[in-house]
Amino acid sequence: MSRPWFEYYFDGLFSKLMRKHFTLDNVFLKYEYPQVRRHFPPPPSKVLDIPCGLGRLSLALAGEGYDVVGVDFKEEFVSDCAAISRRAGLSANFIVGDMRSFCFKESFHVALNYGQSFGYFDEVGERKFCREVYNALVPGGIFFAEYLNKTYIKEFFKEQVKFYWGDIESVAKYRLDRTGHRLLADWNMYESSSNTAESSNIDIRIYTDNEIIALLQSVGFSEVHVHTPIHPGNLDTFSETMFVLACKSESCS
């Protein structure tokens, strides 16, 4: 049986790209982080960042005084985040774990799923993850996630997109599966400085606003609101990625 795509996609050149460009001083912290942060209770509230990746959110929040736990399946990322946290004296812990079975019980005020990490699994896996998040939150806790907007993707579908990050060139060839619910892509990456070429693929569940609202309500969230990320020069209410804010109780505003 083949490995799920997300178990190897973050190795090699993509891991190198993340370390080089997805840093704490990038455009994310300038424009998107404040949109996420404004919904939070004040420090030292407990925050779960899952998956935490290289810790750009976890470490930023810990730097503000939040008590943060980051979970990721990739041991290398967890080890690196933990080392940075220790050197900086931050209140952040990092754990190797599966998003579908991390088994925290009413431990966090906020849970985060950021960086287009929502939709990795099949329908059963997605529901398991959402249920685990719900169980991990205290009453009144909030879940903040970024997801791929099916309505936008279908209307503005592109079969091929080329990206450049420094000397790394990436070409993605996209298609929708027969159900129209999943976005598939074949990625080819090339780094000119090392003459290294790699190929990989992705398979992500995409959602309409109503579909993601229904999913989160089905596992117990009482209020679910959809938001549009705001970037420089873009004030549209229609975006390729969307934010969803789900509340465990009626206390969400």
Side-chain angles (χ1 to χ4, degrees), residues 137-238:
L137 291 170
V138 300
I142 61 173
F143 176 41
F144 198 95
E146 181 189 35
Y147 65 97
L148 287 171
N149 182 357
K150 182 194 294 185
T151 306
Y152 181 97
I153 289 170
K154 285 189 170 182
E155 183 166 338
F156 300 101
F157 184 77
K158 295 180 180 179
E159 292 186 355
Q160 180 170 305
V161 178
K162 185 177 288 189
F163 304 90
Y164 292 93
W165 288 287
D167 64 341
I168 298 178
E169 176 187 284
S170 300
V171 179
K173 295 182 178 180
Y174 294 104
R175 63 192 184 280
L176 296 173
D177 77 343
R178 61 182 178 81
T179 70
H181 296 316
R182 303 194 73 88
L183 180 67
L184 313 177
D186 298 317
W187 280 77
N188 293 288
M189 305 183 74
Y190 175 72
E191 184 181 49
S192 58
S193 60
S194 64
N195 194 29
T196 301
E198 292 180 0
S199 298
S200 60
N201 58 74
I202 64 169
D203 176 356
I204 296 181
R205 175 66 157 91
I206 55 179
Y207 292 87
T208 64
D209 296 351
N210 287 337
E211 287 171 346
I212 202 162
I213 289 170
L215 171 61
L216 292 171
Q217 288 179 336
S218 74
V219 300
F221 285 102
S222 57
E223 296 182 41
V224 184
H225 308 282
V226 170
H227 300 264
T228 305
I230 303 299
H231 300 280
N234 173 25
L235 299 178
D236 294 338
T237 58
F238 194 43

Side-chain angles (χ1 to χ4, degrees), residues 27-41 57 61 64 66 110 112 114 142-146 225-237 239 241-245 253:
V27 69
F28 163 79
L29 284 188
K30 187 174 182 180
Y31 295 105
E32 294 186 6
Y33 176 72
Q35 298 176 64
V36 178
R37 170 66 178 79
R38 69 187 178 90
H39 296 283
F40 291 6
L57 259 181
L61 288 166
E64 290 192 33
Y66 285 94
V110 179
L112 297 170
Y114 201 79
I142 61 173
F143 176 41
F144 198 95
E146 181 189 35
H225 308 282
V226 170
H227 300 264
T228 305
I230 303 299
H231 300 280
N234 173 25
L235 299 178
D236 294 338
T237 58
S239 174
T241 61
M242 299 288 283
F243 294 155
V244 62
L245 178 69
S253 60

Side-chain angles (χ1 to χ4, degrees), residues 83-102:
I84 294 171
S85 178
R86 284 194 301 270
R87 288 197 299 268
L90 299 176
S91 179
N93 295 299
F94 295 92
I95 301 169
V96 177
D98 189 313
M99 290 164 58
R100 294 160 290 186
S101 57
F102 47 92

